Amino acid sequence: MHYRELGTSGIEVSEVGFGAWVVGTDWWGDRSDEDSIEMLHHAIDRGIDFFDTGDVYGHGHSEEVVGEALADYRDEVTVATKIGYDFYNNPQAGHGELPKEITGEWVREATEQSLERLDMEYIDLLQLHNANVDEVTPDVLEALDELKEEGLIKATGWALGPSIGWLAEGDMAIEEEFDALQIVWNAFEQDVGNHFLDTIRETGSSTSLIARVPHSSGLLNEQVRPETELGSGDHRGFRPDEWYETGWEKLEALRFLERDGERTMAQASIAYLLGYDETTAVTPTFRTKDDIDEWAKASDVPKLTDEEITRVEELYADNFGIDRFDGMDALRSSVDGDDIRAAGLDKRVAKGARNEA
């Protein structure tokens, strides 16, 4: 396992991290807390020291499980969590988005609640969870600074979804030099990553990228195949049929990334993202110990060559030679969706909140 620094925080994390959405929730299938703890320990044994959870996952339960599992390893691991959803006063309705609460006062209160559930004295990386750009006011930034000064958090981040608002939000995170910007990014979904690579390079920002969903929800690791039947609670079942059908065709175009005995497609999908210097870590969704065994090795497999990375980018730009849509347009947006559909990825609306104050 290799390690990289989060921004300029001085915190080094494993290139392959553990996305703990699967812990303490049933959105990726049921498992006991004992099973989850066993998986977390197995990840440590495989060199993973970066664990990313969120307060809304299982309405705090994921943090409790992660905290219990990592208690004896606290000085050896980096723990990240996310805040921003008011699950305290709102029940979860299916897979819908809960109301958000992002104010300076809430940042402190939510952080203190997370620390209590994690049973830790500090959080290594505190991330704003799907915050909209207009919600991150000078008061919010000041609260984050104060928490850092008090030693309750070590670094700051902003975690963005693919359809709740991301473009202006990510630009602002980079301009404000948050230590980390977490995004959905993979070989099938490159727009977001490509945009923020450009922003980081243009601004000279030290912000690191954390890539999640590297396997495009099961396509690139071939865990979702034409014959796969997803359970009724599996969130991937809400994707349109066209997404899967085009995805299987795209997968065949990427077979050149496999190297027999040296690099599987699942590993190559992670290695592709690690091929960019701006990427600090990739957090796949581990469902089994076998996943951990295989994907943790992605840090050590042969790196993608410049030619291979360029080929992946070219295939994406040509829609992998497929002349039909994948049915996902309605689910892709940044701010209200109009900008990404009508204006491409050239928008620069994000202004540093401190500069506006």
Side-chain angles (χ1 to χ4, degrees):
M1 181 68 69
H2 298 276
Y3 302 83
R4 301 187 185 187
E5 184 179 5
L6 277 172
T8 56
S9 66
I11 300 172
E12 288 197 341
V13 301
S14 53
E15 290 184 336
V16 180
F18 192 115
W21 182 13
V22 73
V23 173
T25 73
D26 61 1
W27 286 20
W28 288 86
D30 290 325
R31 62 180 43 77
S32 68
D33 290 350
E34 290 75 17
D35 289 340
S36 294
I37 290 171
E38 194 173 328
M39 283 183 63
L40 290 160
H41 288 168
H42 191 74
I44 293 173
D45 290 341
R46 295 299 178 268
I48 294 173
D49 71 358
F50 178 45
F51 298 88
D52 176 42
T53 185
D55 65 356
V56 74
Y57 300 159
H59 286 199
H61 189 55
S62 178
E63 288 182 325
E64 292 172 347
V65 175
V66 168
E68 180 181 350
L70 302 183
D72 293 337
Y73 303 89
R74 185 63 187 100
D75 295 336
E76 305 167 30
V77 297
T78 298
V79 177
T81 194
K82 312 176 191 74
I83 60 171
Y85 283 106
D86 182 10
F87 61 89
Y88 299 95
N89 300 302
N90 298 278
Q92 184 72 49
H95 290 186
E97 185 186 16
L98 289 170
K100 282 183 287 187
E101 182 72 34
I102 299 172
T103 64
E105 183 179 1
W106 183 269
V107 165
R108 177 169 289 277
E109 291 177 359
T111 300
E112 291 173 349
Q113 294 277 4
S114 288
L115 284 166
E116 184 174 340
R117 285 188 293 269
L118 289 164
D119 194 20
M120 295 178 179
E121 295 181 356
Y122 64 91
I123 294 165
D124 294 287
L125 174 63
L126 181 71
Q127 302 161 96
L128 301 179
H129 201 172
N130 287 328
N132 291 110
V133 68
D134 58 352
E135 295 170 327
V136 185
T137 63
D139 285 345
V140 169
L141 295 173
E142 183 178 353
L144 292 171
D145 286 342
E146 289 174 354
L147 290 169
K148 188 181 289 188
E149 290 169 2
E150 295 169 23
L152 296 180
I153 66 175
K154 302 296 184 183
T156 58
W158 199 329
L160 300 176
S163 59
I164 300 173
W166 62 265
L167 198 154
E169 288 72 17
D171 280 351
M172 179 178 171
I174 291 168
E175 291 170 5
E176 290 289 343
E177 296 206 85
F178 278 61
D179 294 293
L181 174 61
Q182 183 176 156
I183 59 175
V184 172
W185 186 17
N186 57 66
F188 289 169
E189 301 168 272
Q190 295 181 32
D191 282 354
V192 178
N194 291 342
H195 176 80
F196 293 134
L197 287 172
D198 289 343
T199 303
I200 290 172
R201 292 166 183 173
E202 290 169 6
T203 61
S205 174
S206 62
T207 300
S208 294
L209 296 178
I210 298 173
R212 75 175 186 278
V213 199
H215 296 131
S216 195
S217 298
L219 288 176
L220 285 162
N221 56 21
E222 301 185 78
Q223 289 187 348
V224 177
R225 301 171 183 267
E227 66 275 12
T228 302
E229 294 185 11
L230 298 171
S232 59
D234 195 312
H235 79 284
R236 294 171 297 179
F238 292 93
R239 300 228 178 189
D241 291 342
E242 296 90 340
W243 180 75
Y244 293 105
E245 292 163 1
T246 57
W248 293 318
E249 293 181 44
K250 295 173 184 177
L251 180 66
E252 295 307 313
L254 292 175
R255 291 294 183 191
F256 70 93
L257 293 177
E258 294 177 308
R259 294 190 184 180
D260 187 31
E262 291 188 306
R263 192 169 67 195
T264 66
M265 181 61 71
Q267 292 168 339
S269 301
I270 295 172
Y272 158 67
L273 298 167
L274 291 172
Y276 297 97
D277 292 338
E278 292 82 359
T279 304
T280 288
V282 180
T283 56
T285 301
F286 299 115
R287 302 183 71 182
T288 66
K289 290 181 182 178
D290 287 342
D291 290 344
I292 296 171
D293 289 339
E294 179 183 355
W295 303 346
K297 293 177 182 176
S299 178
D300 296 310
V301 300
K303 297 183 182 300
L304 268 66
T305 65
D306 291 343
E307 292 75 18
E308 286 175 321
I309 291 175
T310 298
R311 179 61 180 148
V312 175
E313 294 172 342
E314 291 173 345
L315 282 167
Y316 181 79
D318 188 43
N319 197 34
F320 295 83
I322 298 172
D323 60 0
R324 63 189 190 281
F325 296 111
D326 62 6
M328 289 288 287
D329 282 359
L331 302 180
R332 294 191 182 101
S333 64
S334 54
V335 180
D336 298 326
D338 292 336
D339 57 319
I340 195 169
R341 288 191 292 270
L345 294 173
D346 298 325
K347 191 171 93 171
R348 292 287 191 278
V349 303
K351 302 295 181 184
R354 286 193 179 92
N355 296 331
E356 291 181 349

